[in-house]
Amino acid sequence: MSFAKSIIPLKFQSDRKLIRSISTIIIIDFIVIAIAIAFIPIFHFIDFVEGAYIMFYTSLAAIGFLFVMKYSENLNICGNYFTFQSIVVCLSMMYFTGGIISPYLFWLFCICPVSYIYFNPKTAIFWGGITTIFFVTFALTQIFGYNFEQQLTPTVLYITWTVNFCFALFIFISTIRNFRIGLKKINAKLKGANVQLQNSNEELERFAYIASHDLKSPLRSVISFITVSYTHLTLPTNREV
């Protein structure tokens, strides 16, 4: 995580929550680069040329993300770039590896939680909607009879399923962890605010008690003075009667 933090532009390093989210994305980006580079020779070996080219493109796009973040210093641009490239790669691989039964469906499902790490809720919902539309399109296409060719051999398919499942699991765990850490910090802030409010209430109660106690003697004097004055004013009238 410290290595990922060193890549984050100084502009974002004042916000701890932002650092945590961007660090997670950078780690995911490095994992994508490692997976893509590892599968290039494997796909060449099984004559899955399209897959090798897509993985090569994936590695370049993932490296490009680091440059986009460094030189744009704009989270919207970075997030949209990352999400768009992820969708392009996922759909391309799904087309050549069985459609909705492709092991790269895991990558497509990961786009939603990653969007919620990076974007505000409106933008995350937008990308989640786009992802859903593409998934439904693939599903309907297969339901109505189109068969996407599976170009992975059984052994490579099992390896890809395992790697992609572990990758997706890491993303979901990271997302949940980020939400939990954020929730803990919010709860800690609320708890601190409640303690301060309770202390303020106790101080107000003490002040009210002291004030009411200190006002008793002057009030007694005022009441006594009013009583004496009233008695003094009414005495001549009583004599006249």
Side-chain angles (χ1 to χ4, degrees):
M1 190 68 82
S2 57
F3 174 69
K5 286 180 183 177
S6 65
I7 300 174
I8 299 173
L10 293 174
K11 178 181 177 180
F12 305 127
Q13 294 195 8
S14 58
D15 189 332
R16 289 184 180 180
K17 181 181 176 183
L18 206 55
I19 287 175
R20 190 170 62 252
S21 297
I22 298 174
S23 296
T24 303
I25 294 291
I26 291 173
I27 291 169
I28 291 170
D29 192 62
F30 274 107
I31 294 173
V32 169
I33 293 170
I35 292 173
I37 291 174
F39 273 94
I40 290 172
I42 295 173
F43 289 160
H44 264 298
F45 180 75
I46 64 170
D47 292 327
F48 180 24
V49 179
E50 295 88 352
Y53 282 129
I54 293 169
M55 287 296 101
F56 179 71
Y57 171 81
T58 302
S59 60
L60 292 181
I63 293 168
F65 167 77
L66 300 175
F67 287 97
V68 170
M69 184 178 62
K70 181 175 176 60
Y71 293 107
S72 73
E73 294 189 350
N74 185 313
L75 289 183
N76 268 341
I77 293 174
C78 294
N80 287 311
Y81 172 89
F82 187 91
T83 309
F84 175 76
Q85 295 291 356
S86 299
I87 289 175
V88 169
V89 170
C90 290
L91 297 178
S92 301
M93 288 304 296
M94 285 172 64
Y95 181 83
F96 291 107
T97 57
I100 60 170
I101 62 170
S102 167
Y104 288 90
L105 185 64
F106 287 121
W107 286 30
L108 192 69
F109 285 161
C110 288
I111 290 170
C112 291
V114 168
S115 296
Y116 276 97
I117 291 176
Y118 220 122
F119 295 119
N120 59 52
K122 279 188 177 180
T123 310
I125 289 169
F126 168 77
W127 282 114
I130 294 293
T131 304
T132 304
I133 289 170
F134 280 121
F135 171 74
V136 171
T137 302
F138 265 82
L140 289 175
T141 303
Q142 287 185 268
I143 288 169
F144 288 105
Y146 184 85
N147 291 319
F148 292 98
E149 186 179 355
Q150 176 59 264
Q151 298 201 33
L152 299 176
T153 62
T155 303
V156 175
L157 179 62
Y158 300 147
I159 293 170
T160 309
W161 267 94
T162 304
V163 170
N164 289 350
F165 175 80
C166 293
F167 178 54
L169 189 63
F170 168 78
I171 290 176
F172 276 95
I173 290 172
S174 299
T175 306
I176 293 169
R177 179 175 172 273
N178 276 342
F179 278 123
R180 287 186 65 184
I181 291 172
L183 189 62
K184 281 183 181 177
K185 290 191 174 181
I186 290 170
N187 287 335
K189 286 182 181 179
L190 287 174
K191 188 176 179 181
N194 285 335
V195 169
Q196 288 180 356
L197 185 61
Q198 188 176 356
N199 291 337
S200 298
N201 286 337
E202 288 175 358
E203 288 178 6
L204 285 172
E205 286 175 4
R206 283 196 295 269
F207 173 78
Y209 173 78
I210 293 168
S212 63
H213 184 269
D214 290 346
L215 285 172
K216 281 181 182 178
S217 296
L219 282 173
R220 286 197 194 99
S221 301
V222 171
I223 291 168
S224 298
F225 176 77
I226 292 171
T227 303
V228 171
S229 299
Y230 178 76
T231 304
H232 180 72
L233 289 171
T234 55
L235 279 176
T237 306
N238 292 335
R239 286 173 184 173
E240 288 174 4
V241 174

